[in-house]
Amino acid sequence: MDNIKLSQCFITVDDADEALGFYRDALGLEVRNDVGYEGMRWVTLGSPEQPDVAVVLETPLPDPNASEADRQAVKDLLAKGLLRGVIFSTEDVDATFERVRAAGAEVLQEPVDQHYGVRDCAFRDPSGNMIRFARPKA
């Protein structure tokens, strides 16, 4: 059987510099690449604990063949907070919550033991994406 692993995921942001304040400064992810190309920009970050997994911050619908109407539709969904973010795992949800909240992130949910077997909390990044932090309950 193939050994399939996640290597990258993408998060749409409307302002990469503002997003860096959240992902790099508040979460502690390291910047691995910051690329500008033909009017686009994408920033690759990752946890020092997972050098083979990256989160790529990208502008809304960077596909050069996308229509302006499609680009605007993605921007509208982003502004409404309707695009999906990611879930980070952490050893201590409460400590992560306090650290990220102290950095000024918008709190969506304080730490809660969920009926589906995790303790988690949630924040909104500067672009409106919901970012969760979770740990399986002991």
Side-chain angles (χ1 to χ4, degrees):
M1 180 169 192
D2 294 344
N3 188 11
I4 298 173
K5 297 178 180 178
L6 176 68
S7 65
Q8 293 183 336
C9 65
F10 294 83
I11 298 176
T12 300
V13 299
D14 53 10
D15 183 322
D17 290 320
E18 190 176 41
L20 281 171
F22 179 78
Y23 291 96
R24 180 193 58 208
D25 303 336
L27 303 189
L29 300 181
E30 61 186 17
V31 175
R32 297 180 182 160
N33 210 349
D34 189 341
V35 177
Y37 179 72
E38 295 189 1
M40 297 178 287
R41 180 181 179 196
W42 61 94
V43 180
T44 305
L45 305 105
S47 168
E49 304 297 320
Q50 289 184 297
D52 58 341
V53 178
V55 174
V56 181
L57 306 177
E58 65 177 5
T59 56
L61 201 55
D63 184 334
N65 297 316
S67 71
E68 188 52 43
D70 287 342
R71 265 187 245 289
Q72 188 59 50
V74 171
K75 288 178 182 176
D76 291 344
L77 291 171
L78 179 63
K80 293 177 183 178
L82 296 176
L83 296 181
R84 304 297 291 182
V86 297
I87 301 173
F88 291 96
S89 65
T90 178
E91 293 179 7
D92 187 333
V93 170
D94 296 87
T96 299
F97 175 80
E98 291 303 331
R99 183 172 54 82
V100 175
R101 179 170 67 176
E106 179 186 352
V107 175
L108 293 179
Q109 175 203 301
E110 294 196 11
V112 171
D113 290 331
Q114 302 287 1
H115 68 279
Y116 43 85
V118 301
R119 181 169 183 76
D120 68 357
C121 64
F123 292 89
R124 192 169 302 285
D125 78 4
S127 295
N129 298 296
M130 182 172 57
I131 306 299
R132 302 189 77 84
F133 300 90
R135 177 175 188 227
K137 285 194 293 190

